[in-house]
Amino acid sequence: MKLKTTLAAVLAATAIAAAAQAEGLRLGTEGAYPPFNYIEADGSIVGFDVEIGLELCKRIGEECTIVAQDWDGIIPGLLANKYDFIIASMFITEERKKQVDFTDPYYLAAMTHVVPKGSHITDFSNETLAGKVIGAQSGTTQADFIESAYPDADIRLYPTQDEVNLDMASGRIDLQVGDMLPMLDWVSKSDDGSCCELAGEPITDPAFVGEGVGIAVRQEDNELREKLNAALAAMREDGSYKAINDKYFDIDVYTMK
């Protein structure tokens, strides 16, 4: 009986391992951060992050499925094995490196202020913005920045960037801080974003924008991290990264030039 039980356990474990291998890797992203990751009308998740992630999967010989996860739970989801890596425009910061490891950056980034057109807001000191309503997405480095830079403002944090944009377009907040590339896309290409414009100098403080934007993996998954790094370097070398980049942006976001 003991032999049969042991054999059954081995067969079950083998079946589970085989099923996991057949499933391939799971790519975690937010699905609410255009043009990097967003959900189409048919329910598919698309965007720059997703295309880069799927191309990386091909190059490391994996079939990948996409898992959508709200931003506030995206790192806990990785640690709970809900997916195998995160590609969701996540800044590489020292605080996040306490929980996860990152690949090399797959693009650079800066943050920016966004103000209503005609607002004449040009001074972004705490003194000038005291009492102003300033918005950002919760759980982001943008949220960290406004809470640090504007202690005398009325800070409003939102679950998604779309909700920040909606309140901005509706006049319920005076200004917001967001990632520069999505904000540029929003004000220049969307109807509701036509209300607003980028203002001030780009925010590039390493304390908030970190070392660039990376792919997060669990700290024990060093082999996966190295495979992704090698595949990313190959994409840069053979032009496939540029082909994806040019579908979404007028500049090379890897170098911001």
Side-chain angles (χ1 to χ4, degrees):
M1 180 65 71
K2 183 176 181 182
L3 178 59
K4 289 182 179 179
T5 302
T6 303
L7 180 58
V10 170
L11 290 173
T14 302
I16 291 170
Q21 185 174 11
E23 289 175 359
L25 294 178
R26 296 155 299 166
L27 182 164
T29 195
E30 184 185 12
Y33 203 58
F36 291 94
N37 56 80
Y38 56 98
I39 299 175
E40 291 277 41
D42 64 2
S44 60
I45 305 174
V46 297
F48 175 78
D49 287 336
V50 175
E51 289 202 42
I52 293 292
L54 291 177
E55 179 63 25
L56 290 170
C57 287
K58 289 180 186 176
R59 288 169 182 259
I60 66 174
E62 295 282 357
E63 290 288 335
C64 285
T65 55
I66 303 168
V67 180
Q69 170 65 55
D70 290 343
W71 182 259
D72 285 349
I74 204 161
I75 287 179
L78 177 68
L79 300 181
N81 295 307
K82 187 173 180 179
Y83 29 82
D84 300 295
F85 64 97
I86 298 169
I87 181 161
S89 292
M90 183 177 287
F91 289 175
I92 303 168
T93 66
E94 292 303 316
E95 189 64 27
R96 287 171 178 156
K97 285 196 285 187
K98 294 176 183 177
Q99 300 182 75
V100 299
D101 279 351
F102 286 96
T103 64
D104 297 334
Y106 67 98
Y107 76 88
L108 299 182
M111 301 186 298
T112 185
H113 294 90
V114 183
V115 302
K117 289 178 178 176
S119 70
H120 306 297
I121 299 175
T122 57
D123 181 357
F124 295 96
S125 65
N126 177 55
E127 293 73 20
T128 299
L129 298 183
K132 295 286 189 184
V133 182
I134 306 177
Q137 184 179 3
S138 63
T140 64
T141 50
Q142 294 94 318
D144 294 340
F145 175 80
I146 63 173
E147 290 178 326
S148 173
Y150 304 120
D152 297 323
D154 181 357
I155 301 298
R156 307 272 177 90
L157 302 180
Y158 300 78
T160 69
Q161 184 61 49
D162 285 344
E163 291 174 80
V164 190
N165 295 347
L166 177 62
D167 268 14
M168 185 88 208
S170 301
R172 289 189 283 268
I173 56 178
D174 296 308
L175 68 154
Q176 67 161 303
V177 171
D179 189 4
M180 178 172 283
L181 289 170
M183 291 298 93
L184 180 60
D185 190 72
W186 181 61
V187 302
S188 62
K189 296 180 181 179
S190 68
D191 290 338
D192 57 344
S194 63
C195 65
C196 302
E197 61 189 357
L198 307 191
E201 293 296 317
I203 302 164
T204 57
D205 185 342
F208 298 100
V209 301
E211 305 163 21
V213 176
I215 301 166
V217 301
R218 288 180 288 272
Q219 291 178 337
E220 63 269 23
D221 288 345
N222 188 60
E223 182 179 356
L224 174 59
R225 182 178 62 83
E226 290 302 321
K227 286 181 178 179
L228 292 170
N229 277 338
L232 178 61
M235 287 176 63
R236 287 293 300 171
E237 182 69 24
D238 67 18
S240 55
Y241 180 100
K242 184 178 187 301
I244 297 172
N245 178 100
D246 292 353
K247 291 172 62 175
Y248 295 92
F249 309 109
D250 295 328
I251 62 171
D252 181 353
V253 296
Y254 190 86
T255 62
M256 293 297 285
K257 294 179 182 177

